[in-house]
Amino acid sequence: KRKRDDEDLDGLNQRVQGINVKGNEYETFASMPLSQPTASGLEASHYKTLTDIQKQAVPHALKGSDILGAAKTGSGKTLAFLVPVLENLYRRRWTELDGLGALILSPTRELAIQIFEVLRKIGRYHTFSAGLVIGGKSLKEERERLGRMNILVCTPGRMLQHMDQTAAFEIDNLQMLVLDEADRIMDMGFQRDVDAIVEHLPKERQTLLFSATQTKKVSDLARLSLRDPEYVAVHEAA
Ligand code: ADP
Ligand code: MG
């Protein structure tokens, strides 16, 4: 079984390497080089056709690029980052023992909960552990679960509190940072929290930044947190 899995993963890795990011060739999730657990999770959640922002962002993100993505509310940005998060950890054979692999920052508790619910739906056939860190429980209670999580969805203030206060919080292995609704993160005054969080993170990582609007504050944040990003934007038809 182990050998079969390895061969499957080698094949998947080769197909991802072979993605032509200029081709914009994937209309459906079924046609993309995705793992079986993700493909099944998307199918079971009735996601079939990619939205425009997903078409543009997912191929680049699967290949490991940083992304600076802009598309209005309702355009499907959540899957544009959740699919690459699941896939890029899966292809690295991420397990519980590897600790925190991906950190997803969201400006509000409500939005964080929404992201977490989509993650649970499309990630249902994966074995990753995922948690929400949005306050509302005691720091101690949250802390006890943190150490076992592979993927965390959190609000900036609460995350920083843990980084400052949870001594054993293990973040050196982190592979991916997602900044969702970056424009709102900045508008709500979380800039210093996000800066402080980014300082705690390993430099060698992939960062995906999404926002509904392209503002100066967002480009400032992008400059600090992204490395040679791919710019993907979906504009409304005039
Ligand atoms: P955004 O973050 O850009 O505001 P969301 O990720 O919240 O957008 O998605 C908006 C809506 O579109 C949600 O109801 C979501 O389930 C739906 N959606 C996203 N991607 C797809 C897709 N590929 N196919 C069908 N529906 C989708
Ligand atoms: Mg969103």
Side-chain angles (χ1 to χ4, degrees), residues 64-220:
S65 293
D66 281 7
I67 301 282
L68 176 48
K72 67 175 177 169
T73 302
S75 54
K77 294 188 290 294
T78 314
L79 290 186
F81 60 79
L82 285 182
V83 169
V85 161
L86 289 171
E87 287 301 289
N88 295 357
L89 293 181
Y90 179 86
R91 292 202 319 281
R92 290 190 171 95
R93 299 178 160 82
W94 210 259
T95 71
E96 294 225 329
L97 303 176
D98 295 305
L100 188 61
L103 184 64
I104 300 168
L105 293 180
S106 165
T108 68
R109 297 173 62 171
E110 291 69 29
L111 287 167
I113 292 168
Q114 283 176 27
I115 294 167
F116 189 70
E117 281 168 358
V118 178
L119 176 61
R120 284 229 297 227
K121 273 204 308 187
I122 71 159
R124 71 180 87 172
Y125 301 116
H126 280 282
T127 55
F128 302 130
S129 51
L132 260 175
V133 177
I134 54 175
K137 288 195 180 119
S138 74
L139 267 178
K140 180 167 176 295
E141 251 176 281
E142 276 185 354
R143 179 187 307 148
E144 280 160 7
R145 298 169 51 245
L146 276 187
R148 300 193 298 268
M149 294 302 167
N150 297 136
I151 302 171
L152 283 179
V153 185
C154 47
T155 47
R158 192 58 166 185
M159 194 62 219
L160 188 58
Q161 244 182 317
H162 278 291
M163 285 179 161
D164 287 342
Q165 295 179 24
T166 304
F169 189 47
E170 177 69 61
I171 207 150
D172 301 345
N173 241 357
L174 189 93
Q175 304 291 315
M176 299 178 80
L177 169 67
V178 177
L179 300 163
D180 188 32
E181 306 258 356
D183 43 357
R184 282 186 72 185
I185 288 180
M186 299 308 264
D187 289 344
M188 289 174 68
F190 284 127
Q191 170 152 24
R192 290 181 59 177
D193 287 358
V194 173
D195 288 349
I197 290 169
V198 167
E199 278 206 359
H200 279 87
L201 304 179
K203 298 272 174 294
E204 282 296 321
R205 61 160 201 271
Q206 182 181 16
T207 305
L208 311 178
L209 185 158
F210 285 92
S211 70
T213 57
Q214 292 163 300
T215 63
K216 166 119 187 1
K217 284 183 193 166
V218 169
S219 49
D220 287 346

Side-chain angles (χ1 to χ4, degrees), residues 29 47-51 54 72-79:
F29 289 111
Y47 293 121
K48 289 196 179 69
T49 313
L50 278 76
T51 67
Q54 292 161 11
K72 67 175 177 169
T73 302
S75 54
K77 294 188 290 294
T78 314
L79 290 186

